[in-house]
Amino acid sequence: MKASFKLFRIAGITIGIHYTWIFAFIFFSWTLAEGYFPITYIGWSTAVYWIMGIIAALLIFVSVLLHEIAHSLVANAKGIPVRSITLFLLGGPSNMEEEPQKPAAEFAMAIVGPVTSLALAAIFWGFSKLPADTTSPLAAMLSYMAMINMYLGIFNLLPGFPLDGGRVLRSILWGSTGSLTRATDIAGLVGQIFGWLFIGLGVYLIISVSLFTGLWIAFIGWFLNSSADASRKEITLRERLSHIKVRELMNPIVNTISPETTVQQLVREFFRKQQGRAVPVCREDKLIGIATITDIKKIAQEKWAETPVSKIMTSEPLYTVSPEDNLNVAMVMIAKNDINQVLINENGKCGGILSRADIIRFIQMDRELGLR
Ligand SMILES: [Zn+2]
């Protein structure tokens, strides 16, 4: 995710903040200092309310972070690498590099987040009883944090995907039916239903109680509904792609260039005449690299005529698939490495290119023709 900056590293995980979180921080401090605390605890000074608001907003940040770190630590222990967490407006999903391979792993990873929040709620509640004066600002803040962590734990336990509870539900359905697609579809449907319920509740609150709270809840409902919908669509697509082989999309006429071709020739005779933004570089039918339009831009135009493609091509790392791999393998490789295409390696021979655009075009055509 861009538009974010790094804070620190903990247990090998980089913690970052998305700029939207700054708005959330200001928003929380302000609503607590001007709304919640003065309404709940009467008679303290404005400065006290603001100090409480700012500290509480920071503690919300720490609480959400601990929830996410718990997910990440279990993920890492289960062999799913998590290298970074980026906190943004509505929380902070851990950036998992792949999905869990087993239902039990997903269950453990998902449940540990809400459990952490509920444990934090219990700890804050315990501390809130320690000060001699249980109506002091310190005690008020601690009991507020207990309440927030309890809400965080309970909300995330709702069994709608992609909430943690939805992941727990998915792992149980996955374990019992053996089908990740079917499990995601059902858990996603429950997620959509919860989304609609939150929207309904939000609208009710807007009309009857508070415009502000209502808008907030309706917004959360809309967000949950649309992410559940997207997850269902994505899994159906993955399922579809996993039944189609790379070979089915391969162009029988493989366009390749030799490393001795100049950049000038590459631009004039290849990119200006052909579709696509990349070409495999092959020596005697053996794949040695890939030249893309991005590579060309690295060198000044005056030097194109004298520079061979071998100077600008990318040869390390080369992302390749075999014609017998399925399209989902190619799509995951493209998404995971943030690239636009993969090379097709046909038993060590140059087999051409499969781009993100090729896959999208294929899906669109299938849909248009109603192919199954
Ligand atoms: Zn979570």
Side-chain angles (χ1 to χ4, degrees), residues 67-68 71 92 109-110 112-114 117 156 163-164:
H67 173 117
E68 293 305 329
H71 282 308
M109 275 168 51
V112 72
S117 294
N156 277 295
L163 294 175
D164 295 336

Side-chain angles (χ1 to χ4, degrees), residues 298-356:
K298 285 181 216 151
I299 132 163
Q301 223 175 90
E302 303 79 62
K303 295 192 175 153
W304 285 3
E306 67 210 45
T307 311
V309 162
S310 57
K311 281 260 160 40
I312 57 131
M313 70 181 188
T314 306
S315 51
E316 210 40 56
L318 280 185
Y319 298 102
T320 61
V321 290
S322 127
E324 298 312 311
D325 280 331
N326 68 56
L327 288 187
N328 192 41
V329 171
M331 203 58 183
V332 168
M333 195 178 282
I334 287 172
K336 203 169 136 183
N337 299 297
D338 198 20
I339 47 181
N340 286 311
Q341 62 277 311
V342 286
L343 291 155
I344 304 169
N345 190 335
E346 209 174 2
N347 302 322
K349 285 186 183 171
C350 254
I353 268 182
L354 182 68
S355 70
R356 193 192 284 263

Side-chain angles (χ1 to χ4, degrees), residues 258-317:
S258 87
E260 286 77 34
T261 315
T262 66
V263 175
Q264 179 118 304
Q265 285 172 302
L266 173 65
V267 173
R268 285 197 185 152
E269 279 150 43
F270 191 85
F271 284 128
R272 293 174 108 181
K273 291 182 183 171
Q274 310 273 333
Q275 283 198 358
R277 300 174 54 87
V279 59
V281 185
C282 302
R283 178 176 280 133
E284 286 149 17
D285 216 21
K286 195 182 172 310
L287 184 62
I288 59 165
I290 181 171
T292 67
I293 292 186
T294 314
D295 293 327
I296 294 172
K297 287 195 287 188
K298 285 181 216 151
I299 132 163
Q301 223 175 90
E302 303 79 62
K303 295 192 175 153
W304 285 3
E306 67 210 45
T307 311
V309 162
S310 57
K311 281 260 160 40
I312 57 131
M313 70 181 188
T314 306
S315 51
E316 210 40 56

